[in-house]
Amino acid sequence: MSTTPGTVLDGPALWPAQAHVPSVLGRQLVIEKGEGSYVVTSDGRRLFDGTAGLWHANVGHSRPELAQAAAEQMQCLETYHIFGRYANDQAVALAERLAAMSPISDSKVILNSGGSDAIDVACKLARRHWQRAGRTTKTVILSREYAYHGLHAFGTSIAGLDFNREGYGTESLVPETARVPLDDLDATTALIADIGADNIAALVTEPIQGTGGVHPPQEGYLQKLEDLCRTNDILLILDEVITGFGRTGCMFAAERYGVTPDLLTFAKGVTSGYAPLGGVLVSPQIWNPFYVDSADTPIFRHGATYAGHATASAVALRNLDILEEESLLQRVKHLETQLAEELTGLQARCAGVREVRFAGFLGGVSLVDGADATQVSDQLIEKGFISRPLRGNTLQISPPFITTDDELTDYLGAIEETVMEAVK
């Protein structure tokens, strides 16, 4: 017998993701076409994609080169699993290419289907590492306040956004997790001492927090966090699902900020969203024991049916080609300069803006209490632009790398106009 009060609403069979369902039914925008930095809805509206989908459409939408790569691969071999003795040539080629560009020297590559998968694997591998080493008390996974690491069991458990952990009958789906402050190293040091370094397996962090409100690290923060992990024998896991493959003007944010993690998770930009693919870059200290030539060598039980999917891997390889052929990392550096100048001016002119934050081609516009980011996002759609409300009453800015200077100016101009209307 249902205990849900009120009228049960009807709607399409597709259950909306991350949504208060009554608030979106009847208002959903059905995207049926993409054109470079734009998407087109089923009712004919052409919208500038100011969020690159969910941070992923880095090379733009509907690239024929990527469609061709997928079609050609499917006609040759759609996929074959990579369990045991088996592999497929595209997964092998992609892993070699990723290892060559990895900020972790001599890394191995675990492939899977996306960012949430990657986080689950990385956290499991961190715990497996210490169990194998006989340090069986090292099980706690630390993460930062406001962090988002996907919504699989581990990602849900280490979320720094409390609402993503609520409602499941326990404080953490996976036991032995804890949050550290956003950028307070002294408090982080104190928490490590309180929990005990001998009980902590790893610390997971985004180099630039995305969903938590676009928070770039303070100067030197990540390097000091790495030092803290090294001092306490805690593995550092860098979540580069958003920042990887050029979003910061470097292939990985680890390079931009001068840190070397033990594990690095990636997804989104590796295919620009054209195929579901993610993975983990693994440092030698972690992978070496699993490669020892001995009957007693342990097994790390990772892998899923679509890990190393041949078509997804072929698409990723072609996507990486495009990044290089079109010098898109250099383009990001140019766009970062323009974004910084225009956001700084926006904050100075617009009373509705509390704060702007940016790094690479990634920005957040935090609004005053009198302007609601959700309502502003809705009004932007009416003007032909897509943004997205994030934690802290913040608007997301992360367009495709192929965005023109004029398109960026128009987009930020629309944000300024809409915010000013909201606070009249």
Side-chain angles (χ1 to χ4, degrees), residues 73-74 76-97 109 111-112 277 304-317:
Q73 181 59 43
M74 286 182 182
C76 177
L77 171 70
E78 77 294 343
T79 196
Y80 206 79
H81 68 81
I82 59 171
F83 281 35
R85 292 181 61 193
Y86 294 92
N88 67 72
D89 62 335
Q90 298 303 304
V92 170
L94 177 60
E96 292 297 326
R97 190 159 179 183
V109 182
L111 294 175
N112 49 44
L277 189 148
T305 301
Y306 300 128
H309 192 279
T311 300
S313 297
V315 169
L317 287 163

Side-chain angles (χ1 to χ4, degrees), residues 117-189:
D117 285 0
I119 286 292
D120 248 36
V121 168
C123 291
K124 287 170 60 180
L125 181 52
R127 290 184 56 155
R128 184 73 176 90
H129 168 77
W130 294 117
Q131 296 301 302
R132 178 212 55 77
R135 301 180 65 178
T136 57
T137 61
K138 290 179 75 67
T139 56
V140 175
I141 305 292
L142 301 180
S143 54
R144 290 168 71 198
E145 181 183 25
Y146 309 139
Y148 179 81
H149 299 292
L151 291 175
H152 285 1
F154 248 121
T156 297
S157 300
I158 64 175
L161 297 166
D162 290 344
F163 51 77
N164 278 335
R165 293 204 317 277
E166 293 171 353
Y168 299 106
T170 183
E171 193 273 336
S172 184
L173 281 176
V174 179
E176 298 158 318
T177 68
R179 258 59 57 203
V180 303
L182 175 64
D183 54 17
D184 187 334
L185 286 165
D186 289 339
T188 299
T189 301

Side-chain angles (χ1 to χ4, degrees), residues 64-77:
E65 309 97 308
L66 295 175
Q68 182 179 359
E72 289 178 353
Q73 181 59 43
M74 286 182 182
Q75 292 174 70
C76 177
L77 171 70

